[in-house]
Structure formats: C-alpha cells, structure tokens
Amino acid sequence: MKLTVEISKYPLHQDYIPYIQDFIDRLNAHGDIKVITNTLSTQVFGDYDTVMSVMSAEIKRSYETYGKAIFVCKFLCGDLSPEAS
C-alpha cells in the first residue's frame, strides 16, 4: 500500500531554520521515499511501512538531537504525488 504524508515541523527555538532544514535533509537521505518540500510543508510519498518507519525514526532523532518541537502531520492513503496524478 502507498502512503502520502504532509508534515510541518515547528521547533521551539528562536533560530528554527537549521532545525527544520536538518529534518528535511535527513528525509531526503532516504532513497526509498520521495520527498517534495515547499514553503509551508514537506510531503513524503512511498510504501506505507517504509514511510512510517522513516517518519518514526526521523521524528525521534529530531527530539533527541534538538529537544522540543511540534510536528503537524496529515496521512493520506495512496500516492498523491504530482507525478502519480
């Protein structure tokens, strides 16, 4: 099964951009998912189990590395990437 996730990260730090960019860079390092970033959020596409595993690992790593942050996520069944339309 395919999955689409839209995620936004809100670090609870004044200098928030490096915290967000590091999270996006780490998502992009996973070659088995597709990542599209825009000015408001990041979208992740791929196999359900793979996407969930990556999201779980990278959110946990963010908390361990940078401390408090808010993640807002939407999970949608299927591959809703622009290329799949």
Side-chain angles (χ1 to χ4, degrees), residues 21-62:
Q21 189 60 56
D22 181 59
F23 181 73
I24 293 168
D25 291 344
R26 289 195 327 265
L27 289 178
N28 279 303
H30 294 271
D32 46 357
I33 60 172
K34 184 177 5 175
V35 179
I36 298 175
T37 303
N38 62 48
T39 56
L40 296 176
S41 65
T42 297
Q43 290 123 18
V44 181
F45 311 91
D47 176 71
Y48 181 93
D49 292 329
T50 303
V51 170
M52 292 302 287
S53 176
V54 167
M55 297 297 290
S56 176
E58 296 304 345
I59 289 171
K60 181 179 180 181
R61 187 171 168 190
S62 285

Side-chain angles (χ1 to χ4, degrees), residues 4-5 9-10 13 19 21-22 32 35 38 41 71 74:
T4 296
V5 177
K9 179 180 181 181
Y10 302 97
H13 299 274
Y19 299 96
Q21 189 60 56
D22 181 59
D32 46 357
V35 179
N38 62 48
S41 65
F71 288 90
K74 297 176 189 175

